Amino acid sequence: EAGVAQSPRYKIIEKRQSVAFWCNPISGHATLYWYQQILGQGPKLLIQFQNNGVVDDSQLPKDRFSAERLKGVDSTLKIQPAKLEDSAVYLCASSLGGRMEAFFGQGTRLTVV
Amino acid sequence: KNEVEQSPQNLTAQEGEFITINCSYSVGISALHWLQQHPGGGIVSLFMLSSGKKKHGRLIATINIQEKHSSLHITASHPRDSAVYICAVAGETSGSRLTFGEGTQLTVNP
């Protein structure tokens, strides 16, 4: 079974530039999560989708971050404009839903300079 | 205070030593996860448990629901076990959404 796919693996941008990350969850997984992990800290939830609907985006900085999952399958997370403090690993995870186990992608390491 | 607390933050061991990492949480949970994260950033699930004890190879995870505490043990540690170990909980009403601890950086020296 293919795992959660994320791209790119690494990205370096200058502050005030825009960046987008892509996630393709495990086939059939209805629930998709984006987490932000700052160096030395545990991941923190940015947004949770159930199919193509948003379940929880309370911790998403909506002035600069946006995410979509238009067809309820793959998802994109965008940052516009980026700030230095956005440097982090962005992790995508998916699950069948409910209380099922979540599976993680390899993450995208973003460096904002 | 974080909902999920891990100790120690950093742990250095010699190859072959028995290792214990602890996790305490303050909310009602439906499940607790132990995860392993290597320097590349990817996270691998080691255990998901809601009661008792699970064993996989040299890894053992235990949980005490009444005390809101879990431990991850590594027997006969090896340098390839060096990684960050993260405890995460799924709240009773949060489905599979996880709240993470800060992680424990384990270094096993040969």
Side-chain angles (χ1 to χ4, degrees):
Chain A
E1 176 183 87
V4 177
Q6 288 189 247
S7 67
R9 285 297 312 278
Y10 305 94
K11 189 74 177 178
I12 301 174
I13 61 171
E14 295 183 350
K15 59 184 179 184
R16 292 188 289 274
Q17 284 188 320
S18 301
V19 64
F21 312 129
W22 175 81
C23 172
N24 190 13
I26 293 172
S27 178
H29 280 197
T31 306
L32 184 147
Y33 309 87
W34 283 103
Y35 291 93
Q36 179 193 57
Q37 186 179 23
I38 293 171
L39 185 66
Q41 299 180 17
K44 288 183 172 57
L45 180 71
L46 290 175
I47 188 166
Q48 176 185 348
F49 290 96
Q50 182 72 19
N51 296 309
N52 62 347
V54 175
V55 173
D56 184 351
D57 63 356
S58 57
Q59 298 195 73
L60 187 74
K62 298 181 186 63
D63 58 333
R64 297 183 301 106
F65 285 64
S66 64
E68 59 185 17
R69 194 185 183 200
L70 292 176
K71 295 182 180 179
V73 180
D74 55 349
S75 175
T76 55
L77 176 69
K78 296 179 182 177
I79 307 175
Q80 179 180 10
K83 293 185 175 181
L84 296 176
E85 59 260 36
D86 298 332
S87 295
V89 174
Y90 290 85
L91 292 160
C92 179
S94 71
S95 74
L96 284 169
R99 297 183 173 186
M100 305 303 289
E101 182 179 4
F103 294 84
F104 288 82
Q106 289 292 305
T108 295
R109 183 177 296 277
L110 173 69
T111 303
V112 183
V113 298
Chain B
K1 188 179 182 334
N2 292 334
E3 290 182 347
V4 182
E5 298 273 355
Q6 283 185 240
S7 64
Q9 281 188 305
N10 293 282
L11 180 57
T12 300
Q14 287 300 122
E15 184 173 356
E17 285 185 358
F18 181 84
I19 288 162
T20 296
I21 299 171
N22 294 299
C23 175
S24 297
Y25 53 92
S26 57
V27 297
I29 67 169
S30 60
L32 182 143
H33 298 249
W34 281 103
L35 308 161
Q36 183 190 57
Q37 186 172 35
H38 281 281
I43 288 179
V44 174
S45 178
L46 298 174
F47 295 103
M48 182 174 74
L49 63 165
S50 54
S51 66
K53 174 180 172 179
K54 287 191 176 180
K55 184 175 188 292
H56 181 70
R58 295 180 296 105
L59 301 178
I60 303 166
T62 64
I63 188 169
N64 185 319
I65 297 294
Q66 286 73 31
E67 295 185 4
K68 291 187 166 58
H69 181 269
S70 175
S71 293
L72 176 68
H73 306 285
I74 304 176
T75 62
S77 60
H78 191 276
R80 64 174 174 266
D81 297 327
S82 298
V84 175
Y85 291 84
I86 303 174
C87 172
V89 300
E92 285 176 324
T93 58
S94 62
S96 52
R97 189 181 75 221
L98 298 176
T99 301
F100 294 80
E102 298 288 307
T104 295
Q105 173 68 61
L106 171 66
T107 303
V108 181
N109 294 319

